[in-house]
Amino acid sequence: MQAAAWRWGLNDGDRVVVYDDNEGVPAARAWWLRRHGVDVRVLDGGLRAWVRAGFRLQRSDAAPRRGQISLTDAAGADVASIDDAATAPQRGVLIDARAPQHYRSTVPGSRCC
């Protein structure tokens, strides 16, 4: 993962803003970088909001300069294990965050958002 972060051009202290054009679902997958000490934000409204606000788009395949970030070890307290998910319906709430059209095959006891 360290090598990938370098390829993306990340440096220590950078704030990373991720976006997509699918209501933030794919962009939210970058949230795991927070577990490694990266300040990650998801752009509210995604690419569509950016365009609606009148901001410019760039069209290129320019590769960023290699970054020098040093990722920290991942903390585990904020991650659920398989056993945690299996008992969540008895102790709290288990939410399936997939789009409703994908909520056909699900973990027992989970709720669709």
Side-chain angles (χ1 to χ4, degrees):
M1 184 166 29
Q2 181 80 61
W6 289 339
R7 281 193 311 274
W8 300 329
L10 300 186
N11 290 295
D12 290 326
D14 283 350
R15 172 176 289 166
V16 176
V17 178
V18 294
Y19 66 90
D20 60 47
D21 63 356
N22 189 25
E23 300 179 19
V25 175
R29 292 180 179 153
W31 200 252
W32 54 264
L33 282 168
R34 293 178 64 92
R35 298 188 68 229
H36 296 280
V38 180
D39 181 7
V40 178
R41 313 292 174 98
V42 177
L43 180 62
D44 187 11
L47 184 62
R48 293 175 191 155
W50 180 269
V51 171
R52 273 194 311 273
F55 291 110
R56 293 180 11 177
L57 295 177
Q58 177 179 324
R59 300 188 195 290
S60 74
D61 292 330
R65 292 180 123 160
R66 181 179 167 88
Q68 297 296 323
I69 195 167
S70 298
L71 298 178
T72 63
D73 289 336
D78 59 346
V79 177
S81 69
I82 294 295
D83 293 331
D84 292 333
T87 60
Q90 291 80 39
R91 299 178 309 139
V93 179
L94 178 62
I95 297 176
D96 185 331
R98 296 176 295 166
Q101 64 266 30
H102 299 291
Y103 188 72
R104 291 185 196 94
S105 174
T106 185
V107 174
S110 64
R111 301 177 189 171
C112 181
C113 59

